[in-house]
Every structure is written in C-alpha cells, then in structure tokens.
Amino acid sequence: MGVSKSLVFCVLVFQLLSLSSAAIRFNEIRNDNRPIIPFDEFGFTHRGRLELNVSKISLSNPDLDFSKVGFFLCTHDSWLHVLQQLEDGEITCVLQSDLIKQVFTFNNLNGKSEYSTIYSENDADQYTLVFANCLQQLKVSMDVRSAMYNLEGRSNNRDYLSAGKTILPRIYFLFSLIYFILAGLWIHVLYRKRLTVFRIHFFMLAVVVLKAVNLLCEAEDKSYIKRTGSAHGWDVLFYMFSFLKGITLFTLIVLIGTGWSFLKPYLQDKEKKVLMIVIPLQVVANIAQVVIDETGPYGQDWITWKQVFLLVDVVCCCAVLFPIVWSIKNLREAARTDGKAAVNLMKLTLFRQYYIVVICYIYFTRVVVYALETITSYKYLWTSVVAGELATLAFYVFTGYKFKPEAHNPYFVIDDEEEEAAAEALKLEEEFEL
Ligand SMILES: *[C@@H]1O[C@H](CO)[C@@H](O)[C@H](O)[C@H]1NC(C)=O
C-alpha cells in the first residue's frame, strides 16, 4: 500500500516535471477558436529578441482574410488602451491597433504550413506574446515554439532570463553561501555546548543545510536557464530540495511550537495531528508550485493550481500556529498552579515572542513579498526575491538564537529572588490576553 502510493506520487511528480520548461516554451494548439491566446511574458532590454517557430499549421477554412489572424507583442498598459479602442469601435480586430507590435500574420503564410521568424524588440519593457484570431468561424491548429531572450554585451550572448530576473542566480548563490556559513556556525555551537544539546538542535541543523542546498540548486537552475533557455535536470534537484526544505521547516516550526525536547520528550495526540495535516499539505503545495512554475502564467489550469497552492499554504500557516498557542496556554496554567512562576514566565515570554515572529515571518513572506512583486516594475522583480529571502534569513537566525543549546542545561534556571519578582509579573501577565 505504502509503496504503491509513493510510486504513484513519483510518477505524478515526474510527469509534471516533463512539462514545458522555462524560457523556451512549446505549446500545442488544437482546433482552437479562442479570439485571444496569451503565451508567455518576458521583460526585454533594448536588445530583446523573440524567436518564433510555428509548425503544423492547419486552418479549418482556407479562404478567409488571414491578416486578421496572427501573433503580436503587447505590454500591459497598451493592452488596456487596445481594449478601449475595440470598445470605441476604432478598430475591429486587435491586430489593426497601432499600439501592438505585430510579429506576423497568417496572410504571409502563402499556403505553407510552417513559419519561423526572429523579431527584434528594441523598446525595453515587459511584453506578452499573444495570438489573436479575429475570425469567429476559423479554428486553428498549430505547434508553437517561442523563445525570448536579451542579447548581452559585445559577445552577443543570449540571456534567457527576463530583464528583472537576470541577477537572480547570483542572489541565490549569495544567500546559499550565507546559509552554509550559518550551518557551520551552528555545528560549532553544537560542538561547544554538546552536553546540553537536544535532538531538536540536530533537526535545526538539517533544516539549515537543506535550505542552503536548495538555494544552491536554485542558483544553478536559474543560471542554466539563463544560458540555455531550458532547465535540464537542475529543476528536478531544485524541486526535490524545495520539497524536503518545505516539509522540514514546517515540521520544525510545529516541533518548536509544541516545546518538543525543550519542555517535554513526547508529542501529544493533537500535536501529532497537526503534523499529520501539515506534512501532506506540504506535498500538495510543492506539486502545485512545480505546475505553476512550469506552465507559466498562461498555461492551462494555472489559475486552479495557483488557488490550490494559496489555499494549502494558508491552511499550513494557520495550522503551525496552534501548537504554539497550546504551549502558551499550558505554560500559563502551569505558572499559576506550581511554584515555579519565574521559570514558566520566561518560557512563556519566549513562546510568545516565537508566536509573534512566526506570524511576522508568514505575513512578510506571503503578503508583503507578493505586494512587492505586484507593485515593482518588471526591471526590479529581484527586489521581492531579496526581501523574501532576507525575511526568511531573519527568521532562521531568530529561531536559532532563541532556541540555541544553553550552557547550563536546566533550561531556565533562576534564583529565588528572581522567582519572587517573576511571580509579581505573572499577576500582571494574567491580565494580558493573547
Ligand atoms: C526557429 O526559427 C529561427 C528563425 O528562422 C531559426 O533560426 C531556428 O533554427 C528555428 N528553430 C527551430 C527549433 O526550428
């Protein structure tokens, strides 16, 4: 049972991975009469190129005015104006607008069933490649291969990464180095405090190492795409490590939240249930992420998978907060009943800080990064990546620092005077609602 399930999962993942890849895309259009088919988006510099190869063209009706069928490039802004023109009746077909960049129309086919062209785009901007068919009675079948890239420097090397993403490989590499350094530091700390190390500290090490390796794969993946336009293997490694990193990170947040191995050596049933919800959901989230990345914003089902991803992500993020809330509640009750008010109050403060930091981390990496991505110009898309990675780094550093192995084990040892002061503080504390 278990084996067959994991087999199905592997097959599913690898099928997804064999979908079209990165900057060069293949699309098969069959008997389609959609008036507008968007293909892909790309940020061009002043030396942008679009290489378009259309083959196996077959048209349901060969005697029509094919100047109303063809490919064009369009920016978001001009698209809105084009729609306005259509509404005002200035034009009857998108391809007649002077705001679009016509790449080629089917009246140039002259009966052939394939067409190739290299189009130079010298106005830097973000464009979408679109196919328009203004003839309602016409159904089109064709294979479309599109490659968009910018030429670099004097050597005319091709750069298949969109203008705002071209420095991403370097950014990912830099962050990967930082995490490897952090992992080294952590090993040093574990060694020096080896007498007071808990199992969870080794788990934290694994999470940091996985994060570092994941970033390294992402850097290599992106730099391979930059050079060749396709991902070729690195993406598989990258997705594998993303998957492992995602699962271990969420598990770690839950484990720390429950106080496992700090406060108690076991997990309660309800805490196990949280893990049993979060881990499978992470699997789904990772599959959704693969589909989203590989199909591009105009792929079929893209929206569906995007929604699946968002939903699952929100559920996971909420689920990981429960164990922290339970721990805080338990600690408050314990502080009231047994005499060790100070000890428990310190733990309480720690867990409350952790709760707030987890919420900030989730909020920042989900909402703020998304907002940045939406409002920044295409040229500065990398800034949202940097912001997200910095927030993640801060979260890792905070978690490591606050939950590091302590020199004198009994985790929160305090003397009697402090104990009394803390008991006072606890009374105030009780008025403070979470
Ligand atoms: C696509 O078309 C361009 C321009 O004609 C040509 O140089 C290139 O070799 C074609 N690529 C494929 C895969 O057919």
Side-chain angles (χ1 to χ4, degrees):
M1 187 63 177
V3 173
S4 67
K5 260 188 197 162
S6 46
L7 252 174
V8 168
F9 171 68
C10 286
V11 170
L12 191 67
V13 167
F14 282 94
Q15 265 180 357
L16 293 176
L17 291 181
S18 61
L19 292 171
S20 67
S21 56
I24 300 179
R25 286 191 198 275
F26 298 92
N27 286 282
E28 291 183 358
I29 305 290
R30 293 288 169 262
N31 270 328
D32 208 320
N33 64 354
R34 277 181 285 172
I36 292 290
I37 307 176
F39 281 95
D40 211 355
E41 222 172 26
F42 195 80
F44 287 113
T45 63
H46 290 287
R47 300 171 68 204
R49 297 282 184 277
L50 159 68
E51 201 177 293
L52 189 64
N53 307 67
V54 191
S55 56
K56 296 190 193 155
I57 303 175
S58 90
L59 305 164
S60 65
N61 186 341
D63 313 303
L64 293 168
D65 175 13
F66 288 126
S67 66
K68 290 183 171 178
V69 181
F71 289 89
F72 67 91
L73 289 172
C74 189
T75 64
H76 277 283
D77 286 348
S78 39
W79 183 241
L80 296 178
H81 291 120
V82 171
L83 291 180
Q84 190 61 44
Q85 286 180 321
L86 278 172
E87 204 165 290
D88 297 348
E90 279 175 46
I91 50 171
T92 55
C93 179
V94 185
L95 286 163
Q96 293 161 344
S97 169
D98 50 358
L99 298 171
I100 57 144
K101 312 245 178 172
Q102 196 166 313
V103 177
F104 97 93
T105 49
F106 277 26
N107 55 347
N108 298 322
L109 276 179
N110 301 325
K112 282 182 293 173
S113 71
E114 54 179 48
Y115 190 92
S116 289
T117 184
I118 294 183
Y119 182 86
S120 299
E121 179 55 73
N122 300 323
D123 297 329
D125 209 331
Q126 186 168 31
Y127 290 90
T128 306
L129 174 64
V130 186
F131 176 73
N133 171 6
C134 299
L135 307 171
Q136 275 155 6
Q137 62 276 53
L138 182 74
K139 285 186 179 161
V140 182
S141 297
M142 60 188 170
D143 287 357
V144 181
R145 174 190 179 275
S146 64
M148 294 192 256
Y149 52 86
N150 294 311
L151 295 178
E152 283 190 308
R154 279 210 209 117
S155 53
N156 282 344
N157 282 335
R158 293 173 176 191
D159 179 350
Y160 284 95
L161 286 183
S162 183
K165 296 183 178 169
T166 182
I167 64 164
L168 281 186
R170 268 181 262 170
I171 291 176
Y172 285 127
F173 184 70
L174 194 73
F175 275 102
S176 147
L177 278 185
I178 295 177
Y179 281 97
F180 276 117
I181 292 171
L182 279 184
L185 273 176
W186 192 245
I187 292 174
H188 179 69
V189 170
L190 292 191
Y191 181 75
R192 269 190 33 216
K193 310 266 174 75
R194 58 191 171 283
L195 295 178
T196 55
V197 163
F198 292 115
R199 270 180 294 168
I200 198 149
H201 293 129
F202 292 106
F203 197 80
M204 288 163 139
L205 177 64
V207 173
V208 176
V209 170
L210 280 174
K211 174 76 185 169
V213 175
N214 181 41
L215 280 169
L216 192 64
C217 290
E218 188 154 18
E220 186 50 46
D221 180 37
K222 285 279 182 290
S223 104
Y224 198 88
I225 292 174
K226 185 180 159 93
R227 280 174 281 137
T228 65
S230 66
H232 199 81
W234 282 103
D235 53 343
V236 180
L237 267 184
F238 162 63
Y239 289 125
M240 259 172 46
F241 281 105
S242 298
F243 176 65
L244 291 175
K245 183 211 72 186
I247 286 187
T248 48
L249 179 62
F250 274 93
T251 309
L252 181 68
I253 296 177
V254 171
L255 287 181
I256 291 184
T258 61
W260 177 75
S261 99
F262 288 111
L263 306 180
K264 56 186 192 214
Y266 55 87
L267 287 179
Q268 286 171 343
D269 268 351
K270 58 179 179 184
E271 293 164 350
K272 280 185 196 148
K273 278 197 194 106
V274 170
L275 278 181
M276 267 149 49
I277 293 171
V278 169
I279 292 177
L281 283 183
Q282 276 297 302
V283 175
V284 177
N286 277 277
I287 294 178
Q289 188 63 60
V290 174
V291 183
I292 292 166
D293 288 354
E294 297 289 306
T295 57
Y298 301 112
Q300 280 165 345
D301 307 332
W302 189 82
I303 304 260
T304 322
W305 281 99
K306 190 84 186 171
Q307 284 164 347
V308 168
F309 177 75
L310 281 177
L311 181 72
V312 167
D313 201 41
V314 167
V315 173
C316 278
C317 290
C318 294
V320 298
L321 294 176
F322 281 106
I324 312 180
V325 175
W326 292 331
S327 292
I328 291 176
K329 211 173 124 230
N330 287 344
L331 284 170
R332 293 178 74 179
E333 267 157 28
R336 253 177 244 143
T337 51
D338 73 15
K340 296 217 166 67
V343 177
N344 283 316
L345 191 65
M346 283 187 72
K347 289 178 191 168
L348 198 57
T349 316
L350 179 64
F351 274 78
R352 186 165 291 149
Q353 279 175 354
Y354 188 61
Y355 180 78
I356 290 169
V357 167
V358 170
I359 288 188
C360 290
Y361 165 70
I362 289 172
Y363 178 76
F364 199 89
T365 51
R366 274 40 180 198
V367 181
V368 176
V369 168
Y370 178 77
L372 266 179
E373 214 176 285
T374 320
I375 59 170
T376 46
S377 145
Y378 74 100
K379 277 183 272 183
Y380 304 107
L381 264 183
W382 55 271
T383 52
S384 64
V385 174
V386 171
E389 289 299 336
L390 281 178
T392 310
L393 183 65
F395 178 69
Y396 276 66
V397 169
F398 173 87
T399 309
Y401 181 74
K402 284 290 181 180
F403 295 92
K404 65 183 181 296
E406 288 297 339
H408 306 294
N409 184 14
Y411 219 68
F412 305 90
V413 177
I414 323 168
D415 58 37
D416 285 346
E417 270 168 45
E418 281 179 55
E419 177 99 6
E420 271 162 32
E424 289 293 305
L426 193 66
K427 283 194 193 120
L428 296 174
E429 177 68 29
E430 275 167 16
E431 283 144 34
F432 177 91
E433 274 311 310
L434 188 69

